[in-house]
Amino acid sequence: MNDNATPTADARAAVDALATTGACVLPSGTFSRILDATAEDWTRFGRNWEDLLLDEYMADGGRYRYRRYGQYDLDPQGSLTLLPHEPYRQESRINRLNGGVDRVFEPLTDHFTHDPLLTRILVRLGRIFSAVDGTDRWNIKLHPYRIVAGREVGQPAPEGRHQDGVTFITTLLINRVNVTGGESSAFTPEGDELVRGTLSAPGDLFLGDDRTIFHDVTPIHPVDPQEAAHRDVLVIAYTAR
């Protein structure tokens, strides 16, 4: 599938799930077909997670999260523009734990932004979301995270069940090493469960309509406490321009 092609059956199924349920989990095989991605693509792209830096802004005092940050614009022709680097901010009404302050994170590396898999991820997810609600121009915020687990419990969602104040939210698994837990879930505003599943293979993807659902991820723990343990994900937020 090229970036001007009609969406595949896999992409149409994701559109239908978002339009009806508001959330879904795509297994790696499905999302890899949407992207035309190989195992080698995921391995190469995943090396970028070795270059993340400690998040110094955790209001719970945690030192379990490593990250970088960047944002793009996606236009109706499917062209991406990397935007100038700036602080990341969520208001306290959105992020009860870390909101209300400008958080200055290191930018995405050139190696990260130039990876061809990233372009396919952002453009083809944008096409899925445009098919759900007709938006054709997106602001895209990227959050590569490494959550480590050891003496301190790793918290992929330390704020608990939440929304992010965007249009669509995604969590793309890059790698899991020596961890248990990290189960993703989505709920109606009334608390009814919509989706639950554990992202376990590189390329597994959670998709959610952030306007209509709340989402959460359970803590992670090491399987072997004597070995390094972490969960690497790329959280991508799409906001209609």
Side-chain angles (χ1 to χ4, degrees):
M1 181 176 72
N2 63 52
D3 286 327
N4 295 311
T6 301
T8 64
D10 290 320
R12 289 195 297 271
V15 171
D16 291 344
L18 286 170
T20 56
T21 304
C24 65
V25 173
L26 297 184
S28 178
T30 299
F31 193 45
S32 293
R33 287 194 300 270
I34 291 173
L35 298 177
D36 301 320
T38 66
E40 291 76 16
D41 287 327
W42 291 116
T43 298
R44 182 196 65 247
F45 189 50
R47 295 190 187 106
N48 291 290
W49 272 252
E50 301 300 326
D51 197 21
L52 304 183
L53 301 174
L54 181 67
D55 185 341
E56 304 277 5
Y57 290 89
M58 298 301 297
D60 63 357
R63 299 181 69 81
Y64 50 79
R65 183 156 78 178
Y66 293 75
R67 66 183 296 171
R68 287 180 181 267
Y69 167 68
Q71 57 177 328
Y72 286 83
D73 267 350
L74 178 63
D75 72 16
Q77 288 71 47
S79 295
L80 286 166
T81 301
L82 179 63
L83 300 178
H85 194 59
E86 62 181 28
Y88 177 61
R89 185 180 180 94
Q90 291 175 300
E91 298 306 325
S92 298
R93 63 182 176 80
I94 297 296
N95 189 326
R96 295 167 294 179
L97 178 65
N98 294 321
V101 298
D102 288 344
R103 289 180 277 168
V104 182
F105 301 115
E106 289 298 309
L108 305 173
T109 65
D110 289 345
H111 192 266
F112 184 98
T113 60
H114 292 160
D115 194 293
L117 184 60
L118 178 66
T119 299
R120 298 203 298 272
I121 290 169
L122 299 183
V123 172
R124 296 181 191 188
L125 282 176
R127 187 187 304 131
I128 288 172
F129 298 143
S130 293
V132 175
D133 75 350
T135 296
D136 62 3
R137 185 181 295 274
W138 299 99
N139 171 261
I140 307 173
K141 290 181 168 58
L142 282 75
H143 309 271
Y145 290 127
R146 169 167 286 181
I147 306 297
V148 299
R151 293 180 183 176
E152 186 177 19
V153 174
Q155 298 280 0
E159 62 270 62
R161 194 179 298 182
H162 66 284
Q163 293 175 305
D164 286 288
V166 300
T167 309
F168 293 98
I169 191 73
T170 78
T171 300
L172 173 61
L173 187 78
I174 302 300
N175 202 9
R176 288 171 61 105
V177 175
N178 187 37
V179 296
T180 184
E183 185 179 47
S184 299
S185 52
F187 302 86
T188 68
E190 295 75 30
D192 297 325
E193 186 175 292
L194 298 168
V195 170
R196 181 175 293 273
T198 300
L199 307 180
S200 57
D204 284 353
L205 179 71
F206 169 85
L207 298 167
D209 185 333
D210 195 60
R211 301 163 297 183
T212 65
I213 69 156
F214 286 72
H215 61 281
D216 199 1
V217 187
T218 61
I220 62 170
H221 305 269
V223 176
D224 181 348
Q226 305 304 315
E227 299 293 332
H230 62 261
R231 177 181 185 262
D232 294 347
V233 299
L234 177 59
V235 173
I236 317 173
Y238 284 71
T239 302
R241 279 292 197 190

